[in-house]
Short mmCIF file of all heavy atoms in Angstrom, two decimals:
data_model
loop_
_atom_site.label_atom_id
_atom_site.label_comp_id
_atom_site.label_asym_id
_atom_site.label_seq_id
_atom_site.Cartn_x
_atom_site.Cartn_y
_atom_site.Cartn_z
N MET A 50 0.84 -1.18 0.00
CA MET A 50 0.00 0.00 0.00
C MET A 50 0.88 1.23 0.00
O MET A 50 1.87 1.31 0.70
CB MET A 50 -0.90 -0.02 1.23
CG MET A 50 -1.65 1.27 1.42
SD MET A 50 -2.64 1.33 2.92
CE MET A 50 -1.38 1.59 4.13
N SER A 51 0.51 2.19 -0.76
CA SER A 51 1.26 3.43 -0.85
C SER A 51 0.46 4.54 -0.18
O SER A 51 -0.62 4.91 -0.65
CB SER A 51 1.52 3.76 -2.32
OG SER A 51 2.17 4.99 -2.42
N VAL A 52 0.97 5.05 0.92
CA VAL A 52 0.31 6.14 1.63
C VAL A 52 1.00 7.44 1.24
O VAL A 52 2.23 7.51 1.20
CB VAL A 52 0.40 5.92 3.16
CG1 VAL A 52 -0.15 7.10 3.91
CG2 VAL A 52 -0.32 4.66 3.56
N LYS A 53 0.19 8.46 0.96
CA LYS A 53 0.72 9.76 0.56
C LYS A 53 0.23 10.82 1.54
O LYS A 53 -0.76 10.62 2.24
CB LYS A 53 0.26 10.12 -0.85
CG LYS A 53 0.58 9.10 -1.91
CD LYS A 53 0.06 9.52 -3.27
CE LYS A 53 -1.40 9.75 -3.37
NZ LYS A 53 -2.34 8.68 -3.43
N LYS A 54 0.92 11.96 1.54
CA LYS A 54 0.43 13.09 2.32
C LYS A 54 -0.97 13.44 1.86
O LYS A 54 -1.26 13.43 0.67
CB LYS A 54 1.35 14.30 2.12
CG LYS A 54 2.58 14.30 2.98
CD LYS A 54 3.45 15.48 2.71
CE LYS A 54 2.93 16.72 3.36
NZ LYS A 54 3.90 17.84 3.29
N GLY A 55 -1.83 13.72 2.80
CA GLY A 55 -3.20 14.07 2.49
C GLY A 55 -4.16 12.90 2.47
O GLY A 55 -5.37 13.11 2.46
N ASP A 56 -3.65 11.67 2.48
CA ASP A 56 -4.53 10.50 2.51
C ASP A 56 -5.21 10.40 3.88
O ASP A 56 -4.65 10.78 4.90
CB ASP A 56 -3.74 9.21 2.29
CG ASP A 56 -3.38 8.96 0.84
OD1 ASP A 56 -3.93 9.66 -0.04
OD2 ASP A 56 -2.56 8.06 0.60
N PHE A 57 -6.43 9.87 3.87
CA PHE A 57 -7.14 9.57 5.11
C PHE A 57 -6.94 8.10 5.43
O PHE A 57 -7.13 7.24 4.58
CB PHE A 57 -8.62 9.92 4.99
CG PHE A 57 -8.85 11.40 4.92
CD1 PHE A 57 -9.17 12.01 3.72
CD2 PHE A 57 -8.72 12.18 6.05
CE1 PHE A 57 -9.38 13.37 3.65
CE2 PHE A 57 -8.93 13.56 6.00
CZ PHE A 57 -9.25 14.15 4.79
N VAL A 58 -6.52 7.84 6.67
CA VAL A 58 -6.16 6.48 7.09
C VAL A 58 -6.75 6.18 8.45
O VAL A 58 -7.25 7.06 9.14
CB VAL A 58 -4.62 6.33 7.16
CG1 VAL A 58 -3.98 6.50 5.80
CG2 VAL A 58 -4.02 7.31 8.16
N ARG A 59 -6.70 4.91 8.81
CA ARG A 59 -6.96 4.47 10.18
C ARG A 59 -5.90 3.44 10.53
O ARG A 59 -5.24 2.87 9.66
CB ARG A 59 -8.36 3.94 10.35
CG ARG A 59 -8.63 2.65 9.62
CD ARG A 59 -10.01 2.15 9.92
NE ARG A 59 -10.36 1.11 8.96
CZ ARG A 59 -11.59 0.75 8.72
NH1 ARG A 59 -12.58 1.33 9.34
NH2 ARG A 59 -11.84 -0.21 7.86
N VAL A 60 -5.77 3.16 11.81
CA VAL A 60 -4.75 2.24 12.29
C VAL A 60 -5.31 0.81 12.28
O VAL A 60 -6.45 0.57 12.65
CB VAL A 60 -4.32 2.63 13.72
CG1 VAL A 60 -3.31 1.64 14.28
CG2 VAL A 60 -3.76 4.04 13.74
N VAL A 61 -4.48 -0.12 11.85
CA VAL A 61 -4.83 -1.54 11.88
C VAL A 61 -4.43 -2.07 13.25
O VAL A 61 -3.24 -2.15 13.58
CB VAL A 61 -4.12 -2.33 10.75
CG1 VAL A 61 -4.48 -3.80 10.82
CG2 VAL A 61 -4.43 -1.73 9.40
N GLN A 62 -5.42 -2.40 14.06
CA GLN A 62 -5.20 -2.75 15.46
C GLN A 62 -4.22 -3.91 15.63
O GLN A 62 -3.32 -3.85 16.46
CB GLN A 62 -6.54 -3.09 16.11
CG GLN A 62 -6.43 -3.32 17.60
CD GLN A 62 -7.79 -3.47 18.25
OE1 GLN A 62 -8.79 -3.69 17.59
NE2 GLN A 62 -7.82 -3.37 19.55
N GLU A 63 -4.36 -4.96 14.85
CA GLU A 63 -3.50 -6.13 15.00
C GLU A 63 -2.03 -5.80 14.73
O GLU A 63 -1.14 -6.35 15.36
CB GLU A 63 -3.94 -7.25 14.05
CG GLU A 63 -5.33 -7.78 14.32
CD GLU A 63 -6.43 -6.87 13.76
OE1 GLU A 63 -6.18 -6.14 12.77
OE2 GLU A 63 -7.54 -6.88 14.32
N ARG A 64 -1.78 -4.90 13.81
CA ARG A 64 -0.39 -4.54 13.49
C ARG A 64 0.22 -3.64 14.54
O ARG A 64 1.41 -3.72 14.82
CB ARG A 64 -0.34 -3.86 12.12
CG ARG A 64 -0.72 -4.79 11.00
CD ARG A 64 -0.65 -4.08 9.69
NE ARG A 64 -1.26 -4.89 8.64
CZ ARG A 64 -1.66 -4.42 7.49
NH1 ARG A 64 -1.51 -3.14 7.20
NH2 ARG A 64 -2.21 -5.22 6.61
N LEU A 65 -0.58 -2.78 15.13
CA LEU A 65 -0.06 -1.87 16.15
C LEU A 65 0.16 -2.60 17.48
O LEU A 65 1.20 -2.42 18.12
CB LEU A 65 -1.01 -0.69 16.36
CG LEU A 65 -0.58 0.33 17.42
CD1 LEU A 65 0.77 0.95 17.06
CD2 LEU A 65 -1.63 1.40 17.59
N LEU A 66 -0.77 -3.43 17.89
CA LEU A 66 -0.67 -4.09 19.19
C LEU A 66 0.52 -5.04 19.29
O LEU A 66 1.03 -5.27 20.37
CB LEU A 66 -1.96 -4.83 19.51
CG LEU A 66 -3.18 -3.94 19.76
CD1 LEU A 66 -4.40 -4.80 20.07
CD2 LEU A 66 -2.92 -2.95 20.88
N ASN A 67 0.96 -5.59 18.19
CA ASN A 67 2.09 -6.53 18.19
C ASN A 67 3.39 -5.87 17.76
O ASN A 67 4.32 -6.55 17.39
CB ASN A 67 1.77 -7.70 17.27
CG ASN A 67 0.56 -8.48 17.74
OD1 ASN A 67 0.40 -8.68 18.93
ND2 ASN A 67 -0.27 -8.91 16.82
N SER A 68 3.46 -4.56 17.84
CA SER A 68 4.63 -3.86 17.33
C SER A 68 5.60 -3.46 18.44
O SER A 68 5.26 -3.45 19.63
CB SER A 68 4.18 -2.59 16.59
OG SER A 68 3.67 -1.65 17.51
N LEU A 69 6.78 -3.09 18.04
CA LEU A 69 7.79 -2.58 18.97
C LEU A 69 7.31 -1.30 19.62
O LEU A 69 7.54 -1.07 20.81
CB LEU A 69 9.10 -2.34 18.22
CG LEU A 69 10.26 -1.79 19.03
CD1 LEU A 69 10.63 -2.77 20.13
CD2 LEU A 69 11.45 -1.53 18.13
N GLU A 70 6.60 -0.46 18.87
CA GLU A 70 6.08 0.80 19.41
C GLU A 70 5.10 0.56 20.55
O GLU A 70 5.10 1.27 21.55
CB GLU A 70 5.39 1.62 18.31
CG GLU A 70 6.33 2.16 17.26
CD GLU A 70 6.68 1.16 16.16
OE1 GLU A 70 6.13 0.05 16.15
OE2 GLU A 70 7.50 1.49 15.32
N ALA A 71 4.27 -0.46 20.43
CA ALA A 71 3.31 -0.78 21.49
C ALA A 71 4.01 -1.31 22.73
O ALA A 71 3.59 -1.04 23.85
CB ALA A 71 2.29 -1.80 20.99
N LEU A 72 5.08 -2.05 22.54
CA LEU A 72 5.83 -2.58 23.68
C LEU A 72 6.58 -1.48 24.42
O LEU A 72 6.85 -1.59 25.61
CB LEU A 72 6.81 -3.65 23.21
CG LEU A 72 6.18 -4.91 22.62
CD1 LEU A 72 7.27 -5.83 22.08
CD2 LEU A 72 5.33 -5.62 23.64
N ALA A 73 6.92 -0.40 23.72
CA ALA A 73 7.70 0.68 24.30
C ALA A 73 6.84 1.73 25.00
O ALA A 73 7.37 2.66 25.59
CB ALA A 73 8.54 1.35 23.21
N SER A 74 5.53 1.60 24.92
CA SER A 74 4.65 2.59 25.53
C SER A 74 3.41 1.90 26.08
O SER A 74 3.29 0.68 26.03
CB SER A 74 4.25 3.66 24.51
OG SER A 74 3.51 3.07 23.46
N ASP A 75 2.49 2.69 26.57
CA ASP A 75 1.22 2.16 27.06
C ASP A 75 0.48 1.54 25.88
O ASP A 75 0.22 2.20 24.88
CB ASP A 75 0.40 3.29 27.67
CG ASP A 75 -0.91 2.82 28.26
OD1 ASP A 75 -1.15 1.60 28.30
OD2 ASP A 75 -1.69 3.68 28.68
N ASN A 76 0.15 0.27 25.96
CA ASN A 76 -0.48 -0.40 24.83
C ASN A 76 -2.00 -0.32 24.86
O ASN A 76 -2.67 -1.02 24.12
CB ASN A 76 -0.02 -1.86 24.72
CG ASN A 76 -0.40 -2.68 25.93
OD1 ASN A 76 -1.01 -2.19 26.85
ND2 ASN A 76 -0.02 -3.94 25.91
N GLN A 77 -2.57 0.52 25.71
CA GLN A 77 -4.01 0.74 25.72
C GLN A 77 -4.30 1.99 24.89
O GLN A 77 -4.44 3.09 25.41
CB GLN A 77 -4.52 0.90 27.14
CG GLN A 77 -4.37 -0.37 27.94
CD GLN A 77 -4.95 -0.22 29.33
OE1 GLN A 77 -5.45 0.81 29.71
NE2 GLN A 77 -4.86 -1.29 30.10
N PHE A 78 -4.37 1.80 23.59
CA PHE A 78 -4.58 2.91 22.68
C PHE A 78 -6.05 3.29 22.64
O PHE A 78 -6.92 2.43 22.79
CB PHE A 78 -4.09 2.53 21.28
CG PHE A 78 -2.60 2.27 21.24
CD1 PHE A 78 -2.13 0.97 21.23
CD2 PHE A 78 -1.71 3.30 21.21
CE1 PHE A 78 -0.78 0.71 21.20
CE2 PHE A 78 -0.35 3.06 21.19
CZ PHE A 78 0.13 1.77 21.17
N PRO A 79 -6.36 4.56 22.41
CA PRO A 79 -7.76 4.98 22.35
C PRO A 79 -8.47 4.40 21.13
O PRO A 79 -7.87 4.23 20.07
CB PRO A 79 -7.68 6.50 22.28
CG PRO A 79 -6.31 6.79 21.77
CD PRO A 79 -5.44 5.66 22.23
N ALA A 80 -9.74 4.13 21.28
CA ALA A 80 -10.52 3.49 20.21
C ALA A 80 -10.60 4.34 18.95
O ALA A 80 -10.72 3.80 17.85
CB ALA A 80 -11.92 3.18 20.71
N TYR A 81 -10.52 5.66 19.08
CA TYR A 81 -10.70 6.50 17.90
C TYR A 81 -9.63 6.27 16.83
O TYR A 81 -9.89 6.48 15.66
CB TYR A 81 -10.77 7.99 18.27
CG TYR A 81 -9.47 8.60 18.75
CD1 TYR A 81 -8.51 9.05 17.85
CD2 TYR A 81 -9.21 8.73 20.10
CE1 TYR A 81 -7.32 9.60 18.30
CE2 TYR A 81 -8.03 9.28 20.55
CZ TYR A 81 -7.09 9.72 19.65
OH TYR A 81 -5.92 10.26 20.09
N ILE A 82 -8.45 5.79 17.20
CA ILE A 82 -7.42 5.58 16.16
C ILE A 82 -7.76 4.41 15.25
O ILE A 82 -7.27 4.32 14.15
CB ILE A 82 -6.00 5.44 16.75
CG1 ILE A 82 -5.85 4.15 17.55
CG2 ILE A 82 -5.64 6.63 17.60
CD1 ILE A 82 -4.44 3.86 17.99
N TYR A 83 -8.62 3.50 15.74
CA TYR A 83 -9.04 2.37 14.93
C TYR A 83 -10.35 2.62 14.20
O TYR A 83 -10.63 2.00 13.18
CB TYR A 83 -9.22 1.12 15.81
CG TYR A 83 -8.05 0.80 16.69
CD1 TYR A 83 -8.16 0.82 18.07
CD2 TYR A 83 -6.80 0.49 16.14
CE1 TYR A 83 -7.09 0.53 18.90
CE2 TYR A 83 -5.73 0.21 16.96
CZ TYR A 83 -5.88 0.23 18.33
OH TYR A 83 -4.81 -0.07 19.14
N GLU A 84 -11.17 3.52 14.72
CA GLU A 84 -12.53 3.69 14.22
C GLU A 84 -12.74 4.94 13.37
O GLU A 84 -13.70 5.00 12.61
CB GLU A 84 -13.50 3.71 15.40
CG GLU A 84 -13.46 2.42 16.20
CD GLU A 84 -14.15 2.53 17.55
OE1 GLU A 84 -14.62 3.64 17.90
OE2 GLU A 84 -14.21 1.51 18.25
N THR A 85 -11.92 5.96 13.56
CA THR A 85 -12.12 7.21 12.83
C THR A 85 -10.97 7.44 11.86
O THR A 85 -9.93 6.80 11.95
CB THR A 85 -12.23 8.41 13.79
OG1 THR A 85 -10.99 8.55 14.49
CG2 THR A 85 -13.36 8.22 14.78
N LYS A 86 -11.16 8.40 10.98
CA LYS A 86 -10.12 8.67 10.01
C LYS A 86 -9.15 9.72 10.53
O LYS A 86 -9.53 10.65 11.25
CB LYS A 86 -10.71 9.10 8.67
CG LYS A 86 -11.44 10.42 8.68
CD LYS A 86 -11.97 10.70 7.29
CE LYS A 86 -12.81 11.98 7.30
NZ LYS A 86 -13.37 12.26 6.00
N GLY A 87 -7.91 9.52 10.16
CA GLY A 87 -6.87 10.49 10.43
C GLY A 87 -6.23 10.89 9.12
O GLY A 87 -6.26 10.13 8.15
N GLU A 88 -5.65 12.07 9.08
CA GLU A 88 -5.02 12.55 7.85
C GLU A 88 -3.50 12.48 7.98
O GLU A 88 -2.94 12.90 8.99
CB GLU A 88 -5.44 14.00 7.59
CG GLU A 88 -4.84 14.56 6.33
CD GLU A 88 -5.23 16.01 6.11
OE1 GLU A 88 -5.95 16.59 6.95
OE2 GLU A 88 -4.80 16.57 5.09
N VAL A 89 -2.85 11.96 6.96
CA VAL A 89 -1.39 11.91 6.94
C VAL A 89 -0.90 13.31 6.59
O VAL A 89 -1.17 13.82 5.50
CB VAL A 89 -0.88 10.89 5.91
CG1 VAL A 89 0.65 10.90 5.85
CG2 VAL A 89 -1.39 9.49 6.23
N VAL A 90 -0.19 13.95 7.52
CA VAL A 90 0.26 15.32 7.30
C VAL A 90 1.75 15.41 6.97
O VAL A 90 2.21 16.46 6.50
CB VAL A 90 -0.09 16.23 8.50
CG1 VAL A 90 -1.58 16.39 8.64
CG2 VAL A 90 0.51 15.72 9.79
N ASP A 91 2.50 14.33 7.20
CA ASP A 91 3.93 14.33 6.86
C ASP A 91 4.40 12.89 6.75
O ASP A 91 3.83 12.00 7.38
CB ASP A 91 4.73 15.07 7.93
CG ASP A 91 6.14 15.45 7.48
OD1 ASP A 91 6.46 15.28 6.29
OD2 ASP A 91 6.92 15.93 8.32
N LEU A 92 5.42 12.67 5.96
CA LEU A 92 6.03 11.35 5.80
C LEU A 92 7.54 11.48 5.96
O LEU A 92 8.15 12.40 5.41
CB LEU A 92 5.73 10.77 4.41
CG LEU A 92 4.28 10.41 4.13
CD1 LEU A 92 4.10 10.08 2.66
CD2 LEU A 92 3.85 9.22 4.97
N ARG A 93 8.12 10.54 6.70
CA ARG A 93 9.58 10.48 6.85
C ARG A 93 9.98 9.01 6.95
O ARG A 93 9.68 8.34 7.93
CB ARG A 93 10.04 11.21 8.10
CG ARG A 93 9.84 12.70 7.98
CD ARG A 93 10.58 13.46 9.03
NE ARG A 93 10.25 14.86 8.89
CZ ARG A 93 10.29 15.72 9.87
NH1 ARG A 93 10.66 15.34 11.07
NH2 ARG A 93 9.98 16.98 9.65
N GLY A 94 10.62 8.53 5.91
CA GLY A 94 11.04 7.13 5.90
C GLY A 94 9.85 6.20 5.96
O GLY A 94 8.93 6.29 5.16
N ASP A 95 9.86 5.32 6.95
CA ASP A 95 8.79 4.33 7.12
C ASP A 95 7.65 4.83 8.01
O ASP A 95 6.77 4.06 8.37
CB ASP A 95 9.35 3.05 7.74
CG ASP A 95 10.32 2.33 6.81
OD1 ASP A 95 10.20 2.51 5.59
OD2 ASP A 95 11.18 1.60 7.32
N TYR A 96 7.67 6.10 8.38
CA TYR A 96 6.69 6.64 9.32
C TYR A 96 5.87 7.76 8.71
O TYR A 96 6.35 8.52 7.86
CB TYR A 96 7.39 7.16 10.58
CG TYR A 96 7.95 6.04 11.41
CD1 TYR A 96 9.20 5.50 11.15
CD2 TYR A 96 7.21 5.50 12.46
CE1 TYR A 96 9.71 4.45 11.90
CE2 TYR A 96 7.71 4.45 13.22
CZ TYR A 96 8.95 3.93 12.94
OH TYR A 96 9.43 2.90 13.68
N GLY A 97 4.63 7.85 9.18
CA GLY A 97 3.74 8.93 8.77
C GLY A 97 3.20 9.64 10.00
O GLY A 97 2.89 9.01 11.01
N LEU A 98 3.12 10.96 9.90
CA LEU A 98 2.55 11.76 10.98
C LEU A 98 1.05 11.88 10.71
O LEU A 98 0.64 12.40 9.67
CB LEU A 98 3.20 13.14 11.03
CG LEU A 98 2.74 14.07 12.15
CD1 LEU A 98 3.08 13.47 13.51
CD2 LEU A 98 3.40 15.44 12.00
N VAL A 99 0.25 11.38 11.65
CA VAL A 99 -1.20 11.32 11.45
C VAL A 99 -1.90 12.28 12.40
O VAL A 99 -1.61 12.30 13.60
CB VAL A 99 -1.73 9.88 11.67
CG1 VAL A 99 -3.23 9.81 11.44
CG2 VAL A 99 -1.00 8.90 10.76
N ARG A 100 -2.82 13.07 11.85
CA ARG A 100 -3.63 14.00 12.64
C ARG A 100 -5.07 13.47 12.66
O ARG A 100 -5.69 13.31 11.61
CB ARG A 100 -3.60 15.40 12.03
CG ARG A 100 -4.54 16.36 12.74
CD ARG A 100 -4.52 17.76 12.19
NE ARG A 100 -4.60 17.77 10.75
CZ ARG A 100 -4.00 18.68 9.98
NH1 ARG A 100 -3.29 19.63 10.52
NH2 ARG A 100 -4.12 18.62 8.68
N PHE A 101 -5.55 13.18 13.84
CA PHE A 101 -6.93 12.73 14.00
C PHE A 101 -7.80 13.94 14.31
O PHE A 101 -7.34 14.94 14.82
CB PHE A 101 -7.04 11.68 15.11
CG PHE A 101 -6.42 10.38 14.73
CD1 PHE A 101 -5.11 10.09 15.09
CD2 PHE A 101 -7.12 9.45 14.00
CE1 PHE A 101 -4.52 8.88 14.72
CE2 PHE A 101 -6.56 8.24 13.63
CZ PHE A 101 -5.24 7.96 13.99
N ARG A 102 -9.09 13.83 14.03
CA ARG A 102 -10.03 14.94 14.20
C ARG A 102 -10.57 15.03 15.63
O ARG A 102 -11.74 15.26 15.84
CB ARG A 102 -11.18 14.81 13.22
CG ARG A 102 -10.77 14.73 11.79
CD ARG A 102 -10.19 16.05 11.34
NE ARG A 102 -9.85 15.97 9.92
CZ ARG A 102 -8.94 16.70 9.36
NH1 ARG A 102 -8.27 17.58 10.05
NH2 ARG A 102 -8.69 16.58 8.08
N VAL A 103 -9.71 14.83 16.58
CA VAL A 103 -10.04 14.97 17.99
C VAL A 103 -8.97 15.86 18.61
O VAL A 103 -7.87 15.98 18.05
CB VAL A 103 -10.10 13.60 18.71
CG1 VAL A 103 -11.26 12.77 18.20
CG2 VAL A 103 -8.80 12.84 18.57
N PRO A 104 -9.23 16.49 19.72
CA PRO A 104 -8.24 17.40 20.32
C PRO A 104 -7.09 16.66 21.01
O PRO A 104 -7.00 16.61 22.24
CB PRO A 104 -9.07 18.22 21.30
CG PRO A 104 -10.21 17.33 21.66
CD PRO A 104 -10.49 16.51 20.44
N THR A 105 -6.25 16.04 20.21
CA THR A 105 -5.07 15.33 20.72
C THR A 105 -3.89 15.67 19.82
O THR A 105 -4.07 16.12 18.69
CB THR A 105 -5.27 13.80 20.69
OG1 THR A 105 -5.53 13.39 19.35
CG2 THR A 105 -6.40 13.38 21.58
N PRO A 106 -2.67 15.46 20.29
CA PRO A 106 -1.50 15.71 19.44
C PRO A 106 -1.44 14.74 18.26
O PRO A 106 -1.98 13.64 18.31
CB PRO A 106 -0.31 15.48 20.37
CG PRO A 106 -0.87 15.47 21.75
CD PRO A 106 -2.30 15.07 21.64
N ASN A 107 -0.75 15.17 17.22
CA ASN A 107 -0.48 14.28 16.08
C ASN A 107 0.42 13.15 16.55
O ASN A 107 1.15 13.29 17.54
CB ASN A 107 0.19 15.05 14.95
CG ASN A 107 -0.67 16.18 14.44
OD1 ASN A 107 -1.86 16.25 14.72
ND2 ASN A 107 -0.09 17.08 13.69
N VAL A 108 0.40 12.03 15.83
CA VAL A 108 1.18 10.86 16.25
C VAL A 108 1.92 10.27 15.06
O VAL A 108 1.38 10.20 13.96
CB VAL A 108 0.26 9.82 16.93
CG1 VAL A 108 -0.81 9.32 16.00
CG2 VAL A 108 1.06 8.67 17.48
N TRP A 109 3.18 9.87 15.29
CA TRP A 109 3.97 9.19 14.26
C TRP A 109 3.68 7.70 14.35
O TRP A 109 3.79 7.10 15.42
CB TRP A 109 5.46 9.42 14.48
CG TRP A 109 5.92 10.79 14.13
CD1 TRP A 109 6.11 11.83 14.98
CD2 TRP A 109 6.25 11.27 12.83
NE1 TRP A 109 6.53 12.93 14.28
CE2 TRP A 109 6.63 12.62 12.96
CE3 TRP A 109 6.25 10.70 11.56
CZ2 TRP A 109 7.01 13.40 11.88
CZ3 TRP A 109 6.64 11.48 10.48
CH2 TRP A 109 7.01 12.81 10.64
N LEU A 110 3.30 7.10 13.24
CA LEU A 110 3.05 5.66 13.16
C LEU A 110 3.73 5.08 11.94
O LEU A 110 3.90 5.78 10.93
CB LEU A 110 1.54 5.40 13.06
CG LEU A 110 0.71 5.80 14.28
CD1 LEU A 110 -0.76 5.88 13.91
CD2 LEU A 110 0.93 4.82 15.40
N ARG A 111 4.13 3.82 12.03
CA ARG A 111 4.72 3.16 10.87
C ARG A 111 3.66 3.04 9.78
O ARG A 111 2.49 2.75 10.06
CB ARG A 111 5.25 1.78 11.23
CG ARG A 111 6.63 1.82 11.82
CD ARG A 111 7.36 0.49 11.79
NE ARG A 111 6.55 -0.68 11.58
CZ ARG A 111 6.26 -1.57 12.54
NH1 ARG A 111 6.72 -1.42 13.76
NH2 ARG A 111 5.53 -2.62 12.25
N ILE A 112 4.06 3.23 8.56
CA ILE A 112 3.13 3.19 7.43
C ILE A 112 2.47 1.82 7.30
O ILE A 112 1.30 1.73 6.95
CB ILE A 112 3.86 3.60 6.13
CG1 ILE A 112 4.25 5.07 6.22
CG2 ILE A 112 3.00 3.34 4.91
CD1 ILE A 112 5.13 5.56 5.10
N ASP A 113 3.19 0.75 7.64
CA ASP A 113 2.58 -0.58 7.53
C ASP A 113 1.51 -0.84 8.59
O ASP A 113 0.80 -1.83 8.55
CB ASP A 113 3.64 -1.68 7.54
CG ASP A 113 4.38 -1.80 8.87
OD1 ASP A 113 4.44 -0.79 9.61
OD2 ASP A 113 4.88 -2.89 9.15
N GLN A 114 1.37 0.06 9.56
CA GLN A 114 0.32 -0.06 10.58
C GLN A 114 -0.94 0.70 10.18
O GLN A 114 -1.91 0.71 10.92
CB GLN A 114 0.83 0.48 11.91
CG GLN A 114 1.99 -0.31 12.46
CD GLN A 114 2.68 0.39 13.63
OE1 GLN A 114 2.53 1.59 13.85
NE2 GLN A 114 3.46 -0.37 14.36
N LEU A 115 -0.91 1.33 9.00
CA LEU A 115 -2.03 2.15 8.54
C LEU A 115 -2.71 1.50 7.36
O LEU A 115 -2.09 0.77 6.59
CB LEU A 115 -1.53 3.54 8.12
CG LEU A 115 -0.75 4.33 9.15
CD1 LEU A 115 -0.19 5.59 8.52
CD2 LEU A 115 -1.62 4.64 10.35
N GLU A 116 -4.00 1.81 7.19
CA GLU A 116 -4.72 1.41 5.99
C GLU A 116 -5.56 2.60 5.55
O GLU A 116 -5.96 3.43 6.37
CB GLU A 116 -5.59 0.18 6.21
CG GLU A 116 -6.77 0.39 7.14
CD GLU A 116 -7.61 -0.87 7.34
OE1 GLU A 116 -7.23 -1.94 6.84
OE2 GLU A 116 -8.62 -0.76 8.04
N LEU A 117 -5.81 2.69 4.26
CA LEU A 117 -6.61 3.77 3.74
C LEU A 117 -8.02 3.67 4.32
O LEU A 117 -8.58 2.58 4.44
CB LEU A 117 -6.66 3.74 2.22
CG LEU A 117 -5.33 4.02 1.51
CD1 LEU A 117 -5.46 3.86 0.02
CD2 LEU A 117 -4.83 5.41 1.86
N PHE A 118 -8.57 4.81 4.67
CA PHE A 118 -9.92 4.84 5.25
C PHE A 118 -10.93 4.66 4.13
O PHE A 118 -10.86 5.35 3.13
CB PHE A 118 -10.17 6.16 5.98
CG PHE A 118 -11.35 6.15 6.89
CD1 PHE A 118 -11.24 5.61 8.16
CD2 PHE A 118 -12.56 6.65 6.49
CE1 PHE A 118 -12.32 5.59 9.03
CE2 PHE A 118 -13.65 6.64 7.34
CZ PHE A 118 -13.53 6.11 8.60
N PRO A 119 -11.86 3.71 4.30
CA PRO A 119 -12.82 3.46 3.20
C PRO A 119 -13.80 4.59 2.98
O PRO A 119 -14.06 5.39 3.77
CB PRO A 119 -13.55 2.20 3.67
CG PRO A 119 -13.30 2.07 5.13
CD PRO A 119 -12.09 2.86 5.43
#
């Protein structure tokens, strides 16, 4: 899958929960990252900066943990 800046995405729960990032932090992620769309606002290497439409900070996630929002 090719994710570009401006794409709307959501997080694939199975890929995030079994990742190194989940092991390095609190693995109780909020439900909105799986259920709502976020916009990719920047890309750097294997990571994308995602902005969700809730009052929270943007978050860097691996591109393989994202899927295009239907």
